[in-house]
Amino acid sequence: MIKMNITLALSGGGVKGFAHIGVLRILEREGFFIKAIAGTSAGGLIGALYAAGYSPDEMEERLREIDQGNLFSHMQGDGPALFGFGGVTAILNELLGEHSFEDARIPLAVTATDLTTGMPVIIKQGRLVDAVLVTSAVPGVFPAREVEGHKLVDGGILNPVPVAEARALYPHAPVVAVVLSPPLGWQLERKDAASIPQLMTNLPLVYRLAGRLRLARAFNIFLQSMDLTGLMLLDKQLKLEKPEVIIRPKLGQIGLVDHIDIPSVIRAGEQATLEALTEIHKVMGWRYRLSQQFSRMIAP
């Protein structure tokens, strides 16, 4: 009997990250063994909770009743940003405390971007709370984090879904990438796409000002452009790093800091995983694994 080991690469997506809980729940329920997780932003947060020992059920129980209105309050000493991590930090300290990468139950890596050097960073040691706050610091939206003279922000800027990092943590299992953003060109499938805000444009400040100030309108266009850049980078990365399976929950256009129905977002993750089970089981088969090993052997 094949032991169903898998490795996860979890993308970011702000509050859409709750969908990762649903993915984890179905994978566990179906008998898969998650051997390692690499996560970016919200994916790093859920990955850290899982690596610290929380089950999907425990995560949902702890997080579904959080005060979403206070999650993104500013803290003293925050750098310039639209929002802060006041509520998020309090929750992380409660749930993760002094847990570190070194005492995690499975190998874990989270990504960051170093604005000082312009290079991607992979965090695999130290306190989980610190790593989660770094990987989630979307530039301009949340405060950058100063670490040993370096200014670190969201890992999704350069590495939106860390497939290669997941594969490096545990090379002996297929990588399942969980992507929380729509595919490139999603607008072509919707007749009303022009009227739908895209990804990062669901920021309350932008909505309040967009109809009154030219500056806010310009900022809205800028964010839409950045959305497209991010989707292009993600598309190229998936084609280059080739995760064995991609799970893409249908979440609609939820913004980074929108007030959401947490259980429904979790259920979207569950549904997408159920739909992907046939493909996941396929990559567990010996014929598929043999063909992949052969392909790597003859690759230039």
Side-chain angles (χ1 to χ4, degrees):
M1 182 176 180
I2 297 174
K3 191 171 182 180
M4 298 194 296
N5 295 333
I6 59 172
T7 306
L8 296 181
L10 305 181
S11 82
V15 294
K16 291 186 290 187
F18 288 103
H20 290 312
I21 298 174
V23 174
L24 291 168
R25 175 178 286 143
I26 297 302
L27 291 175
E28 282 196 346
R29 185 180 299 169
E30 293 294 319
F32 292 97
F33 297 92
I34 299 166
K35 305 300 289 186
I37 294 177
T40 292
S41 197
L45 188 158
I46 299 301
L49 290 174
Y50 190 79
Y54 287 96
S55 70
D57 289 347
E58 289 170 331
M59 287 188 221
E60 179 169 7
E61 181 180 356
R62 294 289 195 98
L63 296 175
R64 68 185 300 171
E65 301 300 332
I66 59 177
D67 177 9
Q68 295 186 51
N70 192 46
L71 277 180
F72 307 115
S73 57
H74 284 282
M75 298 187 298
Q76 186 175 5
D78 276 351
L82 291 175
F83 301 96
F85 276 137
V88 173
T89 301
I91 293 169
L92 289 176
N93 284 328
E94 176 191 343
L95 296 179
L96 293 175
E98 295 302 314
H99 278 290
S100 68
F101 286 84
E102 290 75 13
D103 58 31
R105 63 171 172 171
I106 60 171
L108 172 72
V110 302
T111 68
T113 301
D114 187 342
L115 294 181
T116 306
T117 65
M119 298 298 292
V121 175
I122 308 301
I123 305 173
K124 294 190 287 187
Q125 60 184 9
R127 293 175 71 237
L128 294 180
V129 170
D130 297 333
V132 170
L133 292 174
V134 166
T135 192
S136 303
V138 178
V141 180
F142 299 115
R145 312 290 295 186
E146 297 284 346
V147 179
E148 297 180 355
H150 291 257
K151 186 171 290 187
L152 303 182
V153 295
D154 188 343
I157 303 303
L158 296 177
N159 192 354
V161 56
V163 174
E165 288 69 29
R167 191 168 279 136
L169 288 175
Y170 193 84
H172 313 295
V175 175
V176 175
V178 185
V179 180
L180 302 182
S181 57
L184 188 66
W186 66 270
Q187 300 94 329
L188 297 175
E189 300 176 5
R190 302 193 58 147
K191 295 179 181 179
D192 60 343
S195 66
I196 298 175
Q198 300 178 20
L199 298 179
M200 288 184 64
T201 59
N202 270 6
L203 298 177
L205 179 65
V206 175
Y207 270 144
R208 287 200 300 269
L209 301 181
R212 299 195 298 268
L213 298 179
R214 292 182 61 187
L215 179 60
R217 290 176 181 171
F219 185 55
N220 199 42
I221 293 172
F222 170 75
L223 287 178
Q224 290 181 16
S225 302
M226 291 302 97
D227 288 342
L228 294 176
T229 300
L231 290 179
M232 178 66 76
L233 173 61
L234 174 61
D235 184 70
K236 297 295 185 185
Q237 185 180 12
L238 290 173
K239 289 177 179 177
L240 177 65
E241 298 184 355
K242 296 182 174 62
E244 279 71 18
V245 178
I246 298 173
I247 297 175
R248 212 164 206 147
K250 296 179 176 64
L251 295 166
Q253 294 307 297
I254 299 174
L256 286 174
V257 297
D258 278 0
H259 191 287
I260 60 165
D261 179 53
I262 292 173
S264 70
V265 173
I266 293 174
R267 302 300 169 263
E270 292 178 354
Q271 183 60 37
T273 309
L274 288 170
E275 294 171 0
L277 284 178
T278 299
E279 188 176 359
I280 299 173
H281 281 290
K282 178 182 176 182
V283 303
M284 304 305 302
W286 68 268
R287 288 186 178 86
Y288 179 88
R289 290 185 295 162
L290 184 62
S291 68
Q292 291 296 99
Q293 291 177 1
F294 182 73
S295 296
R296 284 193 285 268
M297 289 173 59
I298 64 174

